[in-house]
Amino acid sequence: QILFCNSGPAIPSDDLPFNYEHFFRTDRSHGRDAGGSGFGPAITRESIEAHGERVGADSRDGWTSIWFILPA
């Protein structure tokens, strides 16, 4: 299992289920010029799940954690 943690801006709990959707942005006021296309998390999820594994995110108490499991 690989785990990344960040103390940056939290992902609202209502947005967590959509974190890995194509084009999803937590801050809807930012356009593409503010960084990213919204594809990275979706491509990550599809790649990991294609190998039969899982990916997820949690954000609370000032921390955001992104994790995934790779096949052995």
Side-chain angles (χ1 to χ4, degrees):
Q1 180 174 357
I2 309 295
L3 174 68
F4 296 94
C5 297
N6 183 331
S7 61
I11 300 171
S13 59
D14 291 345
D15 288 347
L16 277 173
F18 305 104
N19 193 50
Y20 294 98
E21 298 297 322
H22 290 280
F23 303 115
F24 180 76
R25 291 172 185 264
T26 298
D27 186 347
R28 290 155 186 85
S29 68
H30 286 161
R32 186 170 180 210
D33 59 333
S37 63
F39 272 117
I43 291 170
T44 299
R45 181 189 69 190
E46 290 170 5
S47 297
I48 298 293
E49 289 180 351
H51 288 90
E53 297 297 347
R54 298 174 299 145
V55 62
D58 184 36
S59 191
R60 60 182 137 151
D61 301 327
W63 287 92
T64 297
S65 301
I66 307 291
W67 58 268
F68 58 91
I69 299 171
L70 296 173

Short mmCIF file of all heavy atoms in Angstrom, two decimals:
data_model
loop_
_atom_site.label_atom_id
_atom_site.label_comp_id
_atom_site.label_asym_id
_atom_site.label_seq_id
_atom_site.Cartn_x
_atom_site.Cartn_y
_atom_site.Cartn_z
N GLN A 1 0.85 -1.17 0.00
CA GLN A 1 0.00 0.00 0.00
C GLN A 1 0.89 1.24 0.00
O GLN A 1 1.86 1.30 0.74
CB GLN A 1 -0.93 0.02 1.21
CG GLN A 1 -1.83 1.24 1.23
CD GLN A 1 -2.85 1.19 2.36
OE1 GLN A 1 -2.94 0.23 3.10
NE2 GLN A 1 -3.62 2.23 2.48
N ILE A 2 0.57 2.19 -0.86
CA ILE A 2 1.29 3.46 -0.95
C ILE A 2 0.35 4.54 -0.42
O ILE A 2 -0.82 4.59 -0.78
CB ILE A 2 1.66 3.79 -2.41
CG1 ILE A 2 2.37 2.63 -3.09
CG2 ILE A 2 2.45 5.08 -2.49
CD1 ILE A 2 3.70 2.26 -2.52
N LEU A 3 0.87 5.41 0.46
CA LEU A 3 0.07 6.46 1.08
C LEU A 3 0.78 7.79 0.93
O LEU A 3 1.96 7.91 1.25
CB LEU A 3 -0.13 6.13 2.57
CG LEU A 3 -0.82 7.18 3.42
CD1 LEU A 3 -2.28 7.32 3.03
CD2 LEU A 3 -0.71 6.79 4.89
N PHE A 4 0.06 8.79 0.42
CA PHE A 4 0.56 10.15 0.32
C PHE A 4 -0.28 11.02 1.23
O PHE A 4 -1.51 10.93 1.20
CB PHE A 4 0.44 10.69 -1.11
CG PHE A 4 1.27 9.95 -2.11
CD1 PHE A 4 0.73 8.91 -2.82
CD2 PHE A 4 2.58 10.31 -2.32
CE1 PHE A 4 1.48 8.23 -3.75
CE2 PHE A 4 3.35 9.63 -3.25
CZ PHE A 4 2.80 8.59 -3.96
N CYS A 5 0.34 11.88 2.02
CA CYS A 5 -0.39 12.79 2.91
C CYS A 5 0.04 14.22 2.62
O CYS A 5 1.20 14.48 2.32
CB CYS A 5 -0.10 12.46 4.37
SG CYS A 5 -0.65 10.83 4.86
N ASN A 6 -0.91 15.14 2.76
CA ASN A 6 -0.66 16.53 2.47
C ASN A 6 -1.43 17.37 3.48
O ASN A 6 -2.59 17.09 3.76
CB ASN A 6 -1.15 16.84 1.05
CG ASN A 6 -0.86 18.25 0.62
OD1 ASN A 6 -0.81 19.17 1.43
ND2 ASN A 6 -0.69 18.44 -0.66
N SER A 7 -0.79 18.41 3.98
CA SER A 7 -1.46 19.28 4.94
C SER A 7 -2.06 20.51 4.26
O SER A 7 -2.41 21.47 4.91
CB SER A 7 -0.49 19.72 6.03
OG SER A 7 0.59 20.45 5.47
N GLY A 8 -2.20 20.47 2.93
CA GLY A 8 -2.78 21.58 2.19
C GLY A 8 -4.29 21.66 2.38
O GLY A 8 -4.85 21.04 3.29
N PRO A 9 -4.95 22.40 1.51
CA PRO A 9 -6.40 22.56 1.62
C PRO A 9 -7.12 21.22 1.61
O PRO A 9 -6.78 20.33 0.82
CB PRO A 9 -6.77 23.38 0.39
CG PRO A 9 -5.51 24.05 -0.04
CD PRO A 9 -4.39 23.14 0.37
N ALA A 10 -8.09 21.08 2.48
CA ALA A 10 -8.84 19.83 2.59
C ALA A 10 -9.78 19.66 1.40
O ALA A 10 -10.20 20.63 0.77
CB ALA A 10 -9.64 19.82 3.88
N ILE A 11 -10.10 18.42 1.10
CA ILE A 11 -11.14 18.10 0.12
C ILE A 11 -12.43 17.96 0.91
O ILE A 11 -12.51 17.13 1.82
CB ILE A 11 -10.82 16.78 -0.61
CG1 ILE A 11 -9.49 16.88 -1.34
CG2 ILE A 11 -11.95 16.40 -1.56
CD1 ILE A 11 -9.00 15.56 -1.90
N PRO A 12 -13.45 18.76 0.61
CA PRO A 12 -14.71 18.64 1.35
C PRO A 12 -15.26 17.22 1.28
O PRO A 12 -15.15 16.55 0.24
CB PRO A 12 -15.64 19.62 0.63
CG PRO A 12 -14.72 20.60 -0.04
CD PRO A 12 -13.50 19.80 -0.40
N SER A 13 -15.82 16.73 2.37
CA SER A 13 -16.31 15.35 2.43
C SER A 13 -17.34 15.07 1.34
O SER A 13 -17.41 13.95 0.84
CB SER A 13 -16.87 15.03 3.81
OG SER A 13 -17.94 15.90 4.12
N ASP A 14 -18.14 16.07 0.96
CA ASP A 14 -19.11 15.86 -0.12
C ASP A 14 -18.44 15.64 -1.47
O ASP A 14 -19.03 15.05 -2.37
CB ASP A 14 -20.05 17.07 -0.24
CG ASP A 14 -20.99 17.20 0.95
OD1 ASP A 14 -21.14 16.22 1.71
OD2 ASP A 14 -21.59 18.28 1.09
N ASP A 15 -17.20 16.10 -1.62
CA ASP A 15 -16.47 15.96 -2.88
C ASP A 15 -15.66 14.68 -2.96
O ASP A 15 -15.28 14.26 -4.05
CB ASP A 15 -15.53 17.15 -3.10
CG ASP A 15 -16.27 18.43 -3.45
OD1 ASP A 15 -17.47 18.36 -3.77
OD2 ASP A 15 -15.63 19.50 -3.41
N LEU A 16 -15.35 14.05 -1.84
CA LEU A 16 -14.49 12.86 -1.85
C LEU A 16 -14.97 11.76 -2.78
O LEU A 16 -14.16 11.15 -3.48
CB LEU A 16 -14.29 12.32 -0.43
CG LEU A 16 -13.22 13.01 0.38
CD1 LEU A 16 -13.23 12.49 1.82
CD2 LEU A 16 -11.84 12.85 -0.23
N PRO A 17 -16.28 11.46 -2.85
CA PRO A 17 -16.72 10.40 -3.76
C PRO A 17 -16.42 10.70 -5.23
O PRO A 17 -16.37 9.79 -6.06
CB PRO A 17 -18.22 10.31 -3.53
CG PRO A 17 -18.44 10.90 -2.19
CD PRO A 17 -17.38 11.96 -2.04
N PHE A 18 -16.21 11.96 -5.57
CA PHE A 18 -15.99 12.36 -6.95
C PHE A 18 -14.51 12.62 -7.26
O PHE A 18 -14.16 12.98 -8.38
CB PHE A 18 -16.79 13.63 -7.27
CG PHE A 18 -18.24 13.47 -6.96
CD1 PHE A 18 -18.79 14.05 -5.83
CD2 PHE A 18 -19.06 12.71 -7.77
CE1 PHE A 18 -20.12 13.89 -5.53
CE2 PHE A 18 -20.40 12.54 -7.49
CZ PHE A 18 -20.93 13.13 -6.36
N ASN A 19 -13.64 12.44 -6.30
CA ASN A 19 -12.23 12.77 -6.43
C ASN A 19 -11.56 12.11 -7.63
O ASN A 19 -10.64 12.66 -8.22
CB ASN A 19 -11.49 12.38 -5.15
CG ASN A 19 -10.10 12.96 -5.08
OD1 ASN A 19 -9.91 14.15 -5.29
ND2 ASN A 19 -9.12 12.11 -4.80
N TYR A 20 -12.02 10.93 -8.03
CA TYR A 20 -11.38 10.19 -9.11
C TYR A 20 -12.19 10.23 -10.41
O TYR A 20 -11.96 9.43 -11.31
CB TYR A 20 -11.12 8.75 -8.69
CG TYR A 20 -10.11 8.68 -7.57
CD1 TYR A 20 -10.51 8.57 -6.25
CD2 TYR A 20 -8.75 8.78 -7.84
CE1 TYR A 20 -9.58 8.54 -5.22
CE2 TYR A 20 -7.82 8.75 -6.81
CZ TYR A 20 -8.25 8.63 -5.52
OH TYR A 20 -7.33 8.61 -4.50
N GLU A 21 -13.12 11.17 -10.54
CA GLU A 21 -13.90 11.32 -11.76
C GLU A 21 -13.14 12.21 -12.75
O GLU A 21 -12.46 13.15 -12.35
CB GLU A 21 -15.27 11.93 -11.46
CG GLU A 21 -16.13 11.08 -10.54
CD GLU A 21 -16.49 9.74 -11.14
OE1 GLU A 21 -16.74 9.68 -12.35
OE2 GLU A 21 -16.52 8.75 -10.39
N HIS A 22 -13.30 11.93 -14.04
CA HIS A 22 -12.67 12.76 -15.08
C HIS A 22 -13.11 14.22 -14.94
O HIS A 22 -14.29 14.49 -14.71
CB HIS A 22 -13.06 12.26 -16.48
CG HIS A 22 -12.44 10.96 -16.82
ND1 HIS A 22 -11.14 10.85 -17.26
CD2 HIS A 22 -12.93 9.70 -16.77
CE1 HIS A 22 -10.87 9.58 -17.49
NE2 HIS A 22 -11.93 8.87 -17.20
N PHE A 23 -12.18 15.12 -15.06
CA PHE A 23 -12.40 16.57 -15.06
C PHE A 23 -12.85 17.14 -13.72
O PHE A 23 -13.17 18.32 -13.63
CB PHE A 23 -13.41 17.01 -16.14
CG PHE A 23 -13.01 16.61 -17.52
CD1 PHE A 23 -13.77 15.69 -18.23
CD2 PHE A 23 -11.89 17.14 -18.13
CE1 PHE A 23 -13.42 15.32 -19.51
CE2 PHE A 23 -11.52 16.78 -19.41
CZ PHE A 23 -12.31 15.86 -20.10
N PHE A 24 -12.90 16.34 -12.66
CA PHE A 24 -13.39 16.85 -11.37
C PHE A 24 -12.37 17.78 -10.75
O PHE A 24 -11.17 17.50 -10.73
CB PHE A 24 -13.70 15.70 -10.40
CG PHE A 24 -14.19 16.21 -9.09
CD1 PHE A 24 -15.48 16.68 -8.96
CD2 PHE A 24 -13.36 16.27 -7.99
CE1 PHE A 24 -15.94 17.19 -7.75
CE2 PHE A 24 -13.79 16.77 -6.78
CZ PHE A 24 -15.09 17.23 -6.67
N ARG A 25 -12.85 18.90 -10.22
CA ARG A 25 -12.02 19.85 -9.48
C ARG A 25 -12.78 20.23 -8.21
O ARG A 25 -13.95 20.60 -8.26
CB ARG A 25 -11.79 21.12 -10.29
CG ARG A 25 -10.93 20.92 -11.48
CD ARG A 25 -10.93 22.20 -12.31
NE ARG A 25 -10.21 22.02 -13.53
CZ ARG A 25 -8.94 22.35 -13.68
NH1 ARG A 25 -8.28 22.90 -12.71
NH2 ARG A 25 -8.34 22.14 -14.83
N THR A 26 -12.10 20.14 -7.09
CA THR A 26 -12.73 20.54 -5.83
C THR A 26 -13.04 22.03 -5.85
O THR A 26 -14.13 22.44 -5.47
CB THR A 26 -11.81 20.21 -4.64
OG1 THR A 26 -11.61 18.79 -4.62
CG2 THR A 26 -12.42 20.63 -3.33
N ASP A 27 -12.09 22.82 -6.32
CA ASP A 27 -12.30 24.27 -6.41
C ASP A 27 -12.80 24.59 -7.81
O ASP A 27 -12.03 24.74 -8.75
CB ASP A 27 -11.01 25.03 -6.10
CG ASP A 27 -11.21 26.53 -6.05
OD1 ASP A 27 -12.28 27.01 -6.48
OD2 ASP A 27 -10.30 27.22 -5.58
N ARG A 28 -14.11 24.67 -7.96
CA ARG A 28 -14.72 24.88 -9.26
C ARG A 28 -14.46 26.27 -9.84
O ARG A 28 -14.73 26.52 -11.00
CB ARG A 28 -16.20 24.59 -9.19
CG ARG A 28 -16.46 23.09 -9.01
CD ARG A 28 -17.83 22.85 -8.33
NE ARG A 28 -18.04 21.46 -8.02
CZ ARG A 28 -17.63 20.87 -6.92
NH1 ARG A 28 -16.90 21.52 -6.05
NH2 ARG A 28 -17.90 19.61 -6.68
N SER A 29 -13.93 27.20 -9.02
CA SER A 29 -13.67 28.54 -9.51
C SER A 29 -12.38 28.61 -10.33
O SER A 29 -12.14 29.57 -11.03
CB SER A 29 -13.57 29.53 -8.34
OG SER A 29 -12.42 29.27 -7.56
N HIS A 30 -11.54 27.57 -10.25
CA HIS A 30 -10.28 27.57 -10.99
C HIS A 30 -10.47 26.93 -12.35
O HIS A 30 -11.06 25.86 -12.46
CB HIS A 30 -9.20 26.79 -10.23
CG HIS A 30 -8.67 27.54 -9.06
ND1 HIS A 30 -8.01 26.93 -8.05
CD2 HIS A 30 -8.69 28.84 -8.75
CE1 HIS A 30 -7.65 27.83 -7.14
NE2 HIS A 30 -8.07 29.00 -7.57
N GLY A 31 -9.94 27.57 -13.35
CA GLY A 31 -9.94 27.01 -14.69
C GLY A 31 -8.70 26.17 -14.90
O GLY A 31 -7.88 25.99 -14.01
N ARG A 32 -8.54 25.68 -16.11
CA ARG A 32 -7.40 24.84 -16.44
C ARG A 32 -6.09 25.58 -16.27
O ARG A 32 -5.06 24.98 -15.94
CB ARG A 32 -7.54 24.32 -17.86
CG ARG A 32 -6.47 23.33 -18.20
CD ARG A 32 -6.76 22.65 -19.50
NE ARG A 32 -5.69 21.72 -19.77
CZ ARG A 32 -5.30 21.38 -20.97
NH1 ARG A 32 -5.90 21.89 -22.01
NH2 ARG A 32 -4.32 20.53 -21.13
N ASP A 33 -6.09 26.91 -16.47
CA ASP A 33 -4.87 27.69 -16.33
C ASP A 33 -4.35 27.72 -14.90
O ASP A 33 -3.20 28.05 -14.65
CB ASP A 33 -5.07 29.11 -16.85
CG ASP A 33 -6.18 29.86 -16.13
OD1 ASP A 33 -7.10 29.20 -15.63
OD2 ASP A 33 -6.13 31.10 -16.10
N ALA A 34 -5.19 27.35 -13.93
CA ALA A 34 -4.78 27.32 -12.52
C ALA A 34 -4.09 26.01 -12.17
O ALA A 34 -3.67 25.82 -11.04
CB ALA A 34 -5.99 27.54 -11.62
N GLY A 35 -4.00 25.09 -13.12
CA GLY A 35 -3.26 23.86 -12.88
C GLY A 35 -4.10 22.61 -13.06
O GLY A 35 -5.18 22.50 -12.53
N GLY A 36 -3.58 21.70 -13.84
CA GLY A 36 -4.18 20.39 -14.01
C GLY A 36 -5.41 20.38 -14.90
O GLY A 36 -6.07 21.38 -15.10
N SER A 37 -5.68 19.19 -15.43
CA SER A 37 -6.83 19.01 -16.31
C SER A 37 -7.93 18.22 -15.63
O SER A 37 -9.03 18.11 -16.15
CB SER A 37 -6.40 18.28 -17.58
OG SER A 37 -5.94 16.98 -17.25
N GLY A 38 -7.63 17.63 -14.46
CA GLY A 38 -8.61 16.78 -13.79
C GLY A 38 -8.53 15.33 -14.21
O GLY A 38 -9.36 14.53 -13.81
N PHE A 39 -7.54 14.98 -15.05
CA PHE A 39 -7.41 13.60 -15.52
C PHE A 39 -6.54 12.73 -14.62
O PHE A 39 -6.72 11.52 -14.57
CB PHE A 39 -6.80 13.55 -16.92
CG PHE A 39 -7.80 13.66 -18.02
CD1 PHE A 39 -7.76 14.73 -18.89
CD2 PHE A 39 -8.78 12.70 -18.19
CE1 PHE A 39 -8.67 14.84 -19.91
CE2 PHE A 39 -9.70 12.81 -19.20
CZ PHE A 39 -9.65 13.89 -20.07
N GLY A 40 -5.58 13.31 -13.92
CA GLY A 40 -4.62 12.52 -13.14
C GLY A 40 -5.25 11.52 -12.19
O GLY A 40 -4.95 10.32 -12.26
N PRO A 41 -6.12 11.96 -11.29
CA PRO A 41 -6.73 11.00 -10.37
C PRO A 41 -7.57 9.94 -11.08
O PRO A 41 -7.56 8.77 -10.70
CB PRO A 41 -7.61 11.87 -9.46
CG PRO A 41 -6.94 13.22 -9.50
CD PRO A 41 -6.43 13.35 -10.91
N ALA A 42 -8.28 10.31 -12.15
CA ALA A 42 -9.10 9.34 -12.88
C ALA A 42 -8.23 8.28 -13.56
O ALA A 42 -8.53 7.08 -13.51
CB ALA A 42 -9.96 10.06 -13.92
N ILE A 43 -7.13 8.72 -14.17
CA ILE A 43 -6.22 7.77 -14.82
C ILE A 43 -5.59 6.86 -13.78
O ILE A 43 -5.45 5.65 -13.99
CB ILE A 43 -5.15 8.52 -15.63
CG1 ILE A 43 -5.80 9.20 -16.84
CG2 ILE A 43 -4.03 7.58 -16.06
CD1 ILE A 43 -4.89 10.16 -17.56
N THR A 44 -5.22 7.42 -12.64
CA THR A 44 -4.65 6.62 -11.55
C THR A 44 -5.63 5.53 -11.12
O THR A 44 -5.27 4.36 -11.03
CB THR A 44 -4.29 7.51 -10.35
OG1 THR A 44 -3.31 8.47 -10.77
CG2 THR A 44 -3.76 6.69 -9.19
N ARG A 45 -6.88 5.92 -10.85
CA ARG A 45 -7.88 4.94 -10.41
C ARG A 45 -8.08 3.85 -11.46
O ARG A 45 -8.09 2.65 -11.14
CB ARG A 45 -9.21 5.62 -10.12
CG ARG A 45 -10.26 4.59 -9.63
CD ARG A 45 -11.64 5.16 -9.53
NE ARG A 45 -12.11 5.44 -10.87
CZ ARG A 45 -13.21 6.11 -11.14
NH1 ARG A 45 -13.93 6.60 -10.17
NH2 ARG A 45 -13.59 6.31 -12.38
N GLU A 46 -8.23 4.24 -12.73
CA GLU A 46 -8.46 3.25 -13.77
C GLU A 46 -7.29 2.29 -13.91
O GLU A 46 -7.49 1.09 -14.11
CB GLU A 46 -8.76 3.96 -15.09
CG GLU A 46 -10.11 4.64 -15.07
CD GLU A 46 -10.35 5.55 -16.25
OE1 GLU A 46 -9.50 5.59 -17.18
OE2 GLU A 46 -11.38 6.25 -16.25
N SER A 47 -6.07 2.79 -13.80
CA SER A 47 -4.89 1.94 -13.91
C SER A 47 -4.80 0.96 -12.74
O SER A 47 -4.55 -0.23 -12.94
CB SER A 47 -3.62 2.79 -13.95
OG SER A 47 -3.61 3.61 -15.08
N ILE A 48 -5.01 1.46 -11.54
CA ILE A 48 -4.93 0.60 -10.35
C ILE A 48 -6.04 -0.44 -10.37
O ILE A 48 -5.79 -1.63 -10.13
CB ILE A 48 -5.00 1.46 -9.06
CG1 ILE A 48 -3.83 2.43 -8.97
CG2 ILE A 48 -5.12 0.58 -7.82
CD1 ILE A 48 -2.48 1.82 -8.78
N GLU A 49 -7.27 -0.02 -10.67
CA GLU A 49 -8.39 -0.97 -10.69
C GLU A 49 -8.27 -1.98 -11.82
O GLU A 49 -8.76 -3.11 -11.70
CB GLU A 49 -9.71 -0.21 -10.74
CG GLU A 49 -10.01 0.49 -9.43
CD GLU A 49 -11.32 1.26 -9.42
OE1 GLU A 49 -11.96 1.41 -10.49
OE2 GLU A 49 -11.70 1.73 -8.33
N ALA A 50 -7.61 -1.61 -12.94
CA ALA A 50 -7.40 -2.56 -14.03
C ALA A 50 -6.54 -3.74 -13.59
O ALA A 50 -6.61 -4.82 -14.17
CB ALA A 50 -6.76 -1.85 -15.23
N HIS A 51 -5.75 -3.53 -12.54
CA HIS A 51 -4.92 -4.60 -11.98
C HIS A 51 -5.59 -5.28 -10.80
O HIS A 51 -4.95 -6.03 -10.06
CB HIS A 51 -3.56 -4.03 -11.55
CG HIS A 51 -2.70 -3.68 -12.71
ND1 HIS A 51 -2.70 -2.43 -13.29
CD2 HIS A 51 -1.83 -4.43 -13.43
CE1 HIS A 51 -1.86 -2.42 -14.30
NE2 HIS A 51 -1.32 -3.62 -14.41
N GLY A 52 -6.88 -4.99 -10.59
CA GLY A 52 -7.63 -5.65 -9.52
C GLY A 52 -7.38 -5.09 -8.14
O GLY A 52 -7.66 -5.76 -7.15
N GLU A 53 -6.85 -3.89 -8.05
CA GLU A 53 -6.55 -3.30 -6.75
C GLU A 53 -7.42 -2.07 -6.49
O GLU A 53 -8.32 -1.77 -7.26
CB GLU A 53 -5.05 -2.97 -6.65
CG GLU A 53 -4.16 -4.18 -6.75
CD GLU A 53 -4.33 -5.18 -5.62
OE1 GLU A 53 -4.96 -4.87 -4.59
OE2 GLU A 53 -3.81 -6.30 -5.76
N ARG A 54 -7.15 -1.37 -5.39
CA ARG A 54 -8.02 -0.28 -4.95
C ARG A 54 -7.23 1.00 -4.75
O ARG A 54 -6.02 0.99 -4.54
CB ARG A 54 -8.69 -0.65 -3.62
CG ARG A 54 -9.59 -1.86 -3.75
CD ARG A 54 -10.14 -2.30 -2.41
NE ARG A 54 -9.02 -2.67 -1.53
CZ ARG A 54 -9.00 -2.46 -0.21
NH1 ARG A 54 -10.00 -1.90 0.38
NH2 ARG A 54 -7.96 -2.82 0.50
N VAL A 55 -7.97 2.12 -4.78
CA VAL A 55 -7.43 3.45 -4.55
C VAL A 55 -8.46 4.23 -3.76
O VAL A 55 -9.66 3.97 -3.86
CB VAL A 55 -7.08 4.14 -5.90
CG1 VAL A 55 -8.30 4.32 -6.76
CG2 VAL A 55 -6.36 5.44 -5.69
N GLY A 56 -8.02 5.16 -2.92
CA GLY A 56 -8.98 5.92 -2.12
C GLY A 56 -8.38 7.20 -1.58
O GLY A 56 -7.18 7.47 -1.73
N ALA A 57 -9.24 7.99 -0.96
CA ALA A 57 -8.82 9.28 -0.39
C ALA A 57 -9.59 9.54 0.89
O ALA A 57 -10.73 9.11 1.05
CB ALA A 57 -9.06 10.40 -1.39
N ASP A 58 -8.95 10.29 1.79
CA ASP A 58 -9.58 10.72 3.04
C ASP A 58 -9.05 12.13 3.32
O ASP A 58 -7.89 12.42 3.06
CB ASP A 58 -9.20 9.78 4.18
CG ASP A 58 -9.91 10.12 5.47
OD1 ASP A 58 -11.09 10.54 5.42
OD2 ASP A 58 -9.29 9.97 6.53
N SER A 59 -9.92 13.00 3.80
CA SER A 59 -9.50 14.36 4.09
C SER A 59 -10.21 14.84 5.34
O SER A 59 -11.44 14.97 5.36
CB SER A 59 -9.81 15.26 2.89
OG SER A 59 -9.20 16.51 3.04
N ARG A 60 -9.42 15.09 6.39
CA ARG A 60 -9.99 15.59 7.66
C ARG A 60 -8.89 16.09 8.57
O ARG A 60 -7.72 15.75 8.38
CB ARG A 60 -10.81 14.51 8.35
CG ARG A 60 -10.03 13.28 8.71
CD ARG A 60 -10.93 12.26 9.36
NE ARG A 60 -10.58 10.95 8.79
CZ ARG A 60 -10.72 9.84 9.43
NH1 ARG A 60 -11.22 9.82 10.62
NH2 ARG A 60 -10.39 8.70 8.88
N ASP A 61 -9.28 16.87 9.52
CA ASP A 61 -8.35 17.38 10.54
C ASP A 61 -7.11 18.05 9.93
O ASP A 61 -6.01 17.91 10.44
CB ASP A 61 -7.92 16.28 11.50
CG ASP A 61 -9.09 15.63 12.23
OD1 ASP A 61 -10.08 16.35 12.51
OD2 ASP A 61 -9.03 14.43 12.52
N GLY A 62 -7.29 18.77 8.81
CA GLY A 62 -6.17 19.48 8.20
C GLY A 62 -5.24 18.63 7.36
O GLY A 62 -4.19 19.10 6.93
N TRP A 63 -5.60 17.36 7.12
CA TRP A 63 -4.76 16.46 6.33
C TRP A 63 -5.59 15.80 5.23
O TRP A 63 -6.73 15.42 5.47
CB TRP A 63 -4.15 15.36 7.19
CG TRP A 63 -3.06 15.85 8.08
CD1 TRP A 63 -3.20 16.30 9.36
CD2 TRP A 63 -1.70 16.00 7.74
NE1 TRP A 63 -1.99 16.71 9.84
CE2 TRP A 63 -1.04 16.53 8.86
CE3 TRP A 63 -0.97 15.73 6.60
CZ2 TRP A 63 0.32 16.80 8.87
CZ3 TRP A 63 0.39 16.00 6.61
CH2 TRP A 63 1.02 16.52 7.74
N THR A 64 -4.98 15.64 4.07
CA THR A 64 -5.57 14.85 3.00
C THR A 64 -4.65 13.68 2.74
O THR A 64 -3.43 13.85 2.60
CB THR A 64 -5.74 15.69 1.71
OG1 THR A 64 -6.65 16.76 1.99
CG2 THR A 64 -6.28 14.84 0.57
N SER A 65 -5.21 12.49 2.69
CA SER A 65 -4.46 11.26 2.44
C SER A 65 -5.00 10.60 1.18
O SER A 65 -6.20 10.42 1.05
CB SER A 65 -4.59 10.28 3.60
OG SER A 65 -4.13 10.87 4.79
N ILE A 66 -4.12 10.28 0.27
CA ILE A 66 -4.44 9.54 -0.95
C ILE A 66 -3.67 8.23 -0.86
O ILE A 66 -2.48 8.22 -0.57
CB ILE A 66 -4.00 10.31 -2.21
CG1 ILE A 66 -4.55 11.73 -2.23
CG2 ILE A 66 -4.37 9.54 -3.47
CD1 ILE A 66 -6.03 11.86 -2.41
N TRP A 67 -4.35 7.12 -1.10
CA TRP A 67 -3.68 5.84 -0.99
C TRP A 67 -4.05 4.95 -2.18
O TRP A 67 -5.08 5.15 -2.82
CB TRP A 67 -4.04 5.13 0.32
CG TRP A 67 -5.51 4.90 0.49
CD1 TRP A 67 -6.41 5.72 1.10
CD2 TRP A 67 -6.25 3.79 0.02
NE1 TRP A 67 -7.66 5.18 1.04
CE2 TRP A 67 -7.59 3.99 0.38
CE3 TRP A 67 -5.93 2.63 -0.67
CZ2 TRP A 67 -8.60 3.08 0.07
CZ3 TRP A 67 -6.93 1.73 -0.99
CH2 TRP A 67 -8.25 1.95 -0.60
N PHE A 68 -3.18 4.00 -2.46
CA PHE A 68 -3.50 2.96 -3.43
C PHE A 68 -2.72 1.71 -3.10
O PHE A 68 -1.70 1.75 -2.41
CB PHE A 68 -3.26 3.42 -4.87
CG PHE A 68 -1.86 3.86 -5.18
CD1 PHE A 68 -0.94 2.95 -5.66
CD2 PHE A 68 -1.48 5.18 -5.04
CE1 PHE A 68 0.36 3.36 -5.97
CE2 PHE A 68 -0.21 5.61 -5.35
CZ PHE A 68 0.71 4.69 -5.82
N ILE A 69 -3.22 0.60 -3.59
CA ILE A 69 -2.59 -0.70 -3.38
C ILE A 69 -2.12 -1.21 -4.74
O ILE A 69 -2.86 -1.15 -5.72
CB ILE A 69 -3.58 -1.69 -2.74
CG1 ILE A 69 -4.01 -1.16 -1.37
CG2 ILE A 69 -2.98 -3.08 -2.63
CD1 ILE A 69 -5.15 -1.94 -0.74
N LEU A 70 -0.90 -1.70 -4.81
CA LEU A 70 -0.36 -2.28 -6.02
C LEU A 70 -0.31 -3.79 -5.87
O LEU A 70 -0.11 -4.31 -4.77
CB LEU A 70 1.05 -1.75 -6.29
CG LEU A 70 1.15 -0.25 -6.56
CD1 LEU A 70 2.62 0.16 -6.64
CD2 LEU A 70 0.44 0.09 -7.85
N PRO A 71 -0.46 -4.50 -6.98
CA PRO A 71 -0.37 -5.97 -6.89
C PRO A 71 1.06 -6.38 -6.53
O PRO A 71 2.02 -5.72 -6.89
CB PRO A 71 -0.75 -6.45 -8.29
CG PRO A 71 -0.66 -5.26 -9.18
CD PRO A 71 -0.76 -4.04 -8.32
N ALA A 72 1.15 -7.48 -5.82
CA ALA A 72 2.46 -7.98 -5.39
C ALA A 72 3.23 -8.57 -6.55
O ALA A 72 2.72 -9.03 -7.50
CB ALA A 72 2.29 -9.04 -4.32
#
